[in-house]
């Protein structure tokens, strides 16, 4: 049982590290601010989530587990709200996203002119 | 295994710092600093396990909250500073 | 009153998890501070169905499971595009309508969109959402409105 937990936790840690690295590279590689938010949100959700789950398997039952769950919940909620606040502030300050097109759900999903 | 994770997180923090220095807009820098903060939380948590001292998790909890408040505070500040500053930065 | 009780329970649980010391002295500190914070929140008039959404208690876990699945799928897609390079993305701005009745429902919907990598809510005015999507596929997925229907069902 110990060994099984160790293996699962290592897999989670390695996968989490991989997603964090992907997010970091995306942060450098994507061309403009609004697409970089998406790269940052990879590290915020699955990267942080998998690393925390990996640590949870090492923690065993107790206060440490509860604290890890708290950190995960806080970072998910705070990360989401912070990305939204940044996107909204950037839009309000006049930074325009470079897009290939816009869509409107009321026109039945048909692309309208950008 | 914790060592590898900690090293990868350090690399990602360096990547975020590169983006924070390169810019080009003010909001890219804020995004990079926010990402840096998230990675710090993960690093603190992993370090706690690496040294076998789970008390580090308390620091991580506080850091999550401070990171969020500081980003919102910075955004508020530049929202009131207005459009002009953001363009000068660009 | 029910909401004040729910808030006090949450605060006590938070204290117990974070403290780790269960001596009578520390526990009495807990009781005093929980009562003080609950009183402050009551005075600020923020203790209501919006800060303590008790009516969602049974309907939201199922939605969370579905949302975790969506987040994992979207993460893998965005991660693939990071490694493929900037040529593989096609950013779009879309306008969609939120069909939720309450403000809380709309906030859950907008936050779920932001939580999923590949889509970020830019603005929320009335019941119109402005969303930035990283790819055409992510935009098309939102326009089908599955997430919207599920949030409406959670809201009840």
């Amino acid at each position: 049982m110990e060994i099984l937990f160790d293996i699962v936790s290592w897999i989670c840690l390695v996968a989490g590290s991989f997603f964090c690295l992907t997010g970091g590279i995306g942060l450098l590689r994507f061309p403009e601010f609004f697409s970089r938010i998406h790269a940052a949100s990879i590290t915020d959700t699955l990267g942080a989530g998998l690393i925390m789950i990996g640590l949870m398997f090492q923690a065993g039952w107790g206060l440490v587990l509860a604290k890890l769950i708290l950190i995960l919940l806080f970072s998910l909620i705070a990360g989401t709200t912070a990305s939204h606040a940044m996107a909204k502030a950037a839009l309000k300050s006049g930074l325009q996203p470079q897009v290939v097109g816009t869509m409107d759900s009321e026109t039945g999903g048909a692309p309208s002119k950008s | 295994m914790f060592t590898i994770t900690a090293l990868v997180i350090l690399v990602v923090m360096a990547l975020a710092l590169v983006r924070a220095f390169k810019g080009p807009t003010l909001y890219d820098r804020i995004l990079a600093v926010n990402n840096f903060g998230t990675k710090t939380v993960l690093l603190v948590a992993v370090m706690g396990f690496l040294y076998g001292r789970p008390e580090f998790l308390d620091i991580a909890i506080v850091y999550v909250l401070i990171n969020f408040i500081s980003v919102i505070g910075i955004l508020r500040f530049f929202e009131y500073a207005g459009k002009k500053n953001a363009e000068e930065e660009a | 009153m029910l909401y004040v009780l729910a808030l006090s329970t949450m605060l006590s649980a938070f204290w117990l998890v974070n403290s780790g010391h269960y001596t009578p002295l520390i526990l009495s500190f807990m009781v005093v501070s929980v009562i003080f914070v609950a009183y402050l929140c009551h005075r600020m008039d923020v203790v209501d169905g919006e800060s303590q959404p008790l009516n969602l208690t049974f309907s939201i876990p199922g939605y969370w499971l579905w949302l975790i699945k969506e987040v994992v799928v979207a993460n893998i897609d965005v991660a693939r595009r990071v490694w493929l390079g900037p040529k593989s993305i096609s950013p779009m701005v879309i306008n969609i309508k939120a069909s939720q009745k309450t403000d809380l429902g709309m906030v859950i919907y907008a936050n779920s969109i932001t939580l999923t990598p590949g889509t970020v809510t830019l603005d929320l005015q009335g019941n119109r959402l402005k969303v930035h999507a990283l790819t055409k596929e992510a935009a098309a997925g939102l326009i089908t409105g599955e997430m919207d229907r599920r949030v409406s069902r959670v809201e009840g």
Side-chain angles (χ1 to χ4, degrees), chain C residues 99-154:
Chain C
S99 61
Q100 287 78 30
K101 290 181 289 293
T102 59
D103 286 351
L104 181 66
M106 269 190 279
V107 169
I108 293 176
Y109 184 37
N111 256 350
S112 308
I113 290 175
T114 313
L115 190 61
T116 320
T119 48
V120 170
T121 314
L122 294 178
D123 211 348
L124 172 61
Q125 275 176 347
N127 62 348
R128 307 285 300 162
L129 288 164
K130 196 180 212 182
V131 179
H132 183 271
L134 186 64
T135 59
K136 277 182 187 145
E137 291 78 14
L142 264 185
I143 280 183
T144 59
E146 199 194 347
M147 189 183 267
D148 188 32
R149 276 195 297 281
R150 280 177 190 267
V151 178
S152 296
R153 217 181 302 147
V154 164

Side-chain angles (χ1 to χ4, degrees), chain A residues 9-10 13-14 17-18 20-25 27-30 32-34 36-37 39-40 43-44 47-49 51-52 54-56 58-59 63-65 67-68 70-71 74-75 77-79 81-83 85-86 89-90 92-95, chain B residues 1-2 4-6 8-9 11-12 14-20 22-32 34-36 38-39 41-42 45-46 49 54-58 60-61 64-65 68 71-72 75 78-79 82-84 86-87 90:
Chain A
S9 123
W10 289 343
L13 283 175
V14 170
S17 310
F18 172 72
C20 278
L21 194 64
T22 310
I25 287 171
L27 203 62
L28 285 183
R29 218 170 167 193
F30 278 163
E32 45 113 28
F33 171 71
F34 288 93
R36 282 180 202 135
I37 291 183
T43 55
D44 274 359
I51 287 182
M52 283 299 158
L55 292 182
M56 278 177 209
Q58 297 282 340
L63 279 184
V64 177
L65 182 70
K67 278 179 191 169
L68 283 172
L70 269 184
I71 295 176
F74 281 153
S75 68
I77 295 171
T81 318
S83 338
M86 276 184 286
K92 283 272 152 63
S93 78
L95 195 67
Chain B
M1 193 47 64
F2 294 135
I4 295 174
T5 313
V8 171
I9 292 173
V11 170
V12 177
L15 291 177
L17 268 190
V18 171
R19 175 48 74 196
K22 263 169 74 176
T25 67
L26 171 70
Y27 294 99
D28 284 302
R29 295 178 211 268
I30 299 178
L31 178 69
N34 179 34
N35 208 7
F36 190 82
T38 324
K39 294 288 91 65
V41 173
L42 287 182
V46 173
F49 277 83
E55 303 90 55
F56 275 39
L57 289 178
D58 295 331
I61 291 181
V64 175
L65 300 174
F68 174 64
V71 167
I72 297 294
L75 284 175
F78 283 108
E79 208 175 332
K83 209 170 163 180
K84 211 162 144 266
E87 275 168 3

